[in-house]
């Protein structure tokens, strides 16, 4: 499957000749580079100028048309394709010329999640400009962020001939879409991170907490840490983190010595810290416990914090007040830590967490902000990668580009969030890096594996 130079989206939709100049040819079954490092692609322009009107729900977004070639991306990506030999003939496999490839995009374009949904829709269009050919048709449909709205959107997608459904975002909405998509024989690539909604034909592409925990615990044990504790919210997410910690520690030869849960709405974590450490209560009027009140070093050498945002910062500050901070006790995190500015909380400096490699996303963030005037939300790259995956598969000669065999290529794909693949049971498999929090950002201290080969 070749990669053609990136295109921009025109308005109105034209009919244009098929491109005839490949910039790379994928050899054997190596991973397709959705990051476009091996192709001539857009560097600064996204193809959608700032302020451009977004498509309305159900409106078909036209396929791209050729424009001037732009410099390639500067991000470094594992090589996924070999350059075409000089003078090699263009890719000439016959495509069904008049048969569009229709892909529905189910997102909350109204309701409480409308801002996020619209941003993800913008990111999906960026991927389309970068990778789609003229037959590719994207159909954004408002699922309203509700199960009922998602069911209606799925029915609309099936009625309009969608061959693939991207989305929805919420697990409850995915459950509502599943029977409708199954009856229409349409596969689903959802943005959820809930493994419970994944099944054959229903793939999740979100960041699963289980994979993040497994990666950081595995790395910690390699560094000699083997006694783990965790602070987790008392909800489904916290339960998933706790279960993943137990399994990952056991698989790596470590032990879980303590797990404490807390109300997800907690703002003051001092009581939780006293419970965790066994410290006595501070005298009335004391803002912080004195050293005499602090217990000996706790019976764990690594502490996993399943929190993010302001609550994570408050938790870390409270931990430091009770004498728990890196490097004495190594703090570990989950994907909720994958946000800018963590180093502003000094208690988190030196902590580790697992996340996709940041370099490709940084370039995406620059392009997105230039086009839309604001930074993208963290989940925007999910929409980019899912749409890029669909666009790349749709460009091949196959009349069923979204078959299980194509969607679950065991070699995977390189996206804005690094190397990933969809598995036959529907769960995404990602290759994650280990990041260390620094005062002015993060450092990658253990690179993400560059393939899915055993031992990589």
């Amino acid at each position: 499957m070749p990669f053609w130079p990136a295109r921009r989206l025109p308005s109105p939709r034209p009919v244009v000749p098929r491109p005839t100049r490949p910039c790379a040819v994928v050899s054997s079954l190596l991973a397709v580079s959705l990051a476009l490092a091996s192709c001539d692609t857009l560097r600064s322009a996204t193809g959608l100028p700032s302020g451009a009107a977004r498509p309305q729900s159900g409106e078909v977004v036209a396929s791209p048309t050729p424009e001037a070639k732009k410099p390639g991306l500067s991000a470094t990506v594992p090589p996924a394709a070999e350059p075409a030999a000089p003078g090699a003939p263009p890719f000439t496999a016959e495509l069904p010329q008049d048969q569009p490839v229709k892909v529905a995009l189910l997102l909350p374009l109204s309701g409480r999640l409308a801002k996020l949904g619209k941003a993800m829709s913008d990111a999906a269009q960026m991927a389309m400009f970068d990778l789609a050919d003229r037959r590719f048709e994207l159909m954004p449909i408002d699922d309203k962020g509700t199960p009922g709205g998602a069911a209606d959107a799925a029915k609309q997608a099936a009625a309009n001939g969608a061959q693939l459904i991207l989305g929805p975002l919420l697990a409850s909405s995915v459950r509502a879409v599943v029977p409708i998509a199954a009856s229409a024989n349409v596969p689903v690539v959802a943005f959820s991170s809930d493994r419970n909604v994944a099944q054959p034909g229903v793939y999740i592409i979100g960041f699963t907490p289980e994979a993040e925990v497994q990666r950081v615990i595995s790395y910690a044990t390699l560094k000699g840490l083997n006694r783990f504790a965790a602070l987790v919210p008392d909800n489904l997410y916290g339960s998933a983190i706790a279960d993943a910690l137990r399994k990952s520690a056991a698989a790596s030869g470590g032990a879980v010595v303590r797990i404490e849960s807390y109300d997800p709405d907690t703002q003051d974590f001092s009581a939780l810290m006293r419970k965790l450490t066994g410290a006595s209560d501070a005298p009335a009027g004391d803002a912080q416990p004195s050293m005499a009140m602090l217990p000996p070093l706790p019976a764990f050498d690594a502490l996993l914090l399943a929190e993010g945002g302001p609550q994570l910062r408050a938790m870390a500050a409270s931990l430091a007040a009770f004498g728990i901070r890196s490097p004495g006790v190594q703090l570990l995190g989950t994907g909720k830590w994958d946000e800018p500015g963590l180093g502003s909380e000094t208690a988190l400096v030196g902590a580790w967490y697992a996340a996709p490699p940041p370099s490709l996303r940084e370039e995406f963030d620059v392009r997105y902000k230039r086009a839309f005037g604001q930074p993208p939300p963290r989940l925007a790259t999910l929409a980019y990668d899912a749409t890029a995956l669909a666009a790349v598969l749709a460009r091949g000669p196959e009349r069923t580009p979204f078959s299980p065999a194509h969607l679950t290529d065991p070699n995977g794909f390189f996206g804005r969030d690094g190397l990933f693949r969809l598995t036959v049971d529907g769960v995404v498999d990602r290759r994650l890096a280990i990041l260390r929090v620094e005062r002015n950002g993060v450092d990658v201290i253990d690179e993400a594996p560059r393939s899915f080969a055993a031992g990589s």
Side-chain angles (χ1 to χ4, degrees):
M1 182 188 303
F3 282 177
W4 305 104
R7 314 295 181 203
R8 287 189 179 184
L9 179 67
S11 180
R13 191 168 87 194
V15 176
V16 296
R18 180 160 34 116
T20 59
R21 183 187 173 199
C23 64
V25 177
V26 176
S27 61
S28 68
L29 291 178
L30 288 177
V32 177
S33 173
L34 300 188
L36 309 178
S38 63
C39 299
D40 293 321
T41 60
L42 298 178
R43 180 183 185 89
S44 60
T46 64
L48 182 65
S50 180
R54 298 184 180 91
Q56 299 301 311
S57 177
E59 178 182 343
V60 174
V61 177
S63 57
T65 187
E67 286 203 6
K69 202 162 46 175
K70 302 296 181 180
L73 301 184
S74 58
T76 300
V77 187
E82 297 293 333
F91 182 74
T92 56
E94 284 299 316
L95 302 177
Q97 292 292 314
D98 299 323
Q99 180 180 328
V101 180
K102 297 183 178 181
V103 174
L105 178 66
L106 275 56
L107 285 169
L109 303 178
S110 63
R112 65 183 182 89
L113 296 175
K115 183 176 180 180
L116 173 59
K118 290 174 181 177
M120 293 180 73
S121 179
D122 289 338
Q125 292 174 60
M126 287 176 63
M128 186 174 169
F129 305 140
D130 287 349
L131 282 167
D133 71 7
R134 67 182 182 85
R135 299 179 306 121
F136 189 87
E137 294 184 1
L138 188 66
M139 301 184 293
I141 305 175
D142 184 10
D143 67 21
K144 301 180 175 59
T146 66
D152 290 341
K155 292 175 183 176
Q156 183 179 342
N160 288 336
Q163 296 164 256
L164 176 69
I165 291 175
L166 304 179
L169 175 63
L170 303 177
S172 57
S173 295
V174 177
R175 292 188 181 94
V177 165
V178 167
I180 299 165
S183 64
N185 198 29
V186 177
V188 175
V189 177
F191 304 123
S192 173
S193 60
D194 188 346
R195 298 169 65 97
N196 295 317
V197 301
Q199 57 184 276
V202 180
Y203 309 94
I204 60 169
I205 200 172
F207 308 111
T208 59
E210 294 86 354
E212 297 160 352
V213 171
Q214 189 279 328
R215 177 72 167 101
V216 75
I217 296 302
S218 176
Y219 178 78
T221 55
L222 287 175
K223 295 301 180 181
L225 306 176
N226 53 32
R227 296 172 298 160
F228 299 97
L231 300 177
V232 301
D234 187 11
N235 54 22
L236 292 176
Y237 176 76
S239 296
I241 293 294
D243 289 344
L245 173 60
R246 294 186 185 98
K247 293 177 182 176
S248 300
S252 300
V256 178
V257 299
R258 196 83 176 264
I259 296 180
E260 297 290 349
S261 60
Y262 55 90
D263 187 316
D265 295 325
T266 298
Q267 301 298 321
D268 182 356
F269 290 95
S270 56
L272 180 65
M273 299 310 143
R274 285 192 289 271
K275 185 178 180 181
L276 176 71
T277 61
S280 58
D281 291 337
D286 278 12
Q288 303 290 347
S290 67
M291 294 304 295
M293 300 173 195
L294 295 178
L297 189 69
F300 49 86
D301 47 28
L303 177 62
L304 179 66
L305 307 180
E307 196 53 84
Q311 282 185 299
L312 172 61
R313 290 166 171 80
M315 182 183 290
S318 187
L319 280 167
F322 280 82
I324 300 177
R325 63 189 305 167
S326 299
V329 173
Q330 181 62 52
L331 299 184
L332 307 175
T334 69
K336 284 195 170 186
W337 288 33
D338 200 12
E339 59 183 52
L342 279 187
S344 62
E345 175 50 61
T346 57
L348 289 173
V349 173
W352 305 336
Y353 67 98
S359 58
L360 294 175
R361 191 175 73 247
E362 289 168 356
E363 193 277 339
F364 167 84
D365 290 351
V366 170
R367 289 179 57 202
Y368 184 100
K369 185 174 182 180
R370 185 177 293 120
F372 304 108
Q374 57 188 352
R378 178 63 189 89
L379 299 184
T381 48
L382 293 181
Y384 184 99
D385 281 357
T387 306
L389 170 63
V392 166
L393 293 178
R395 283 164 48 178
E398 300 85 1
R399 292 181 180 273
T400 56
F402 308 125
S403 67
H406 293 123
L407 287 168
T408 62
D409 184 334
N411 296 291
F413 305 88
F414 284 111
R416 291 298 178 182
D417 286 306
L419 180 61
F420 73 97
R421 64 181 174 184
L422 304 177
T423 61
V424 292
D425 62 0
V427 178
V428 68
D429 185 4
R430 292 186 178 276
R431 288 296 183 252
L432 303 175
I434 298 295
L435 281 61
R436 181 177 60 212
V437 178
E438 304 291 354
R439 294 187 184 278
N440 297 316
V442 296
D443 280 345
V444 176
I445 57 174
D446 194 47
E447 297 285 351
R450 300 170 71 87
S451 78
F452 288 102
S456 65

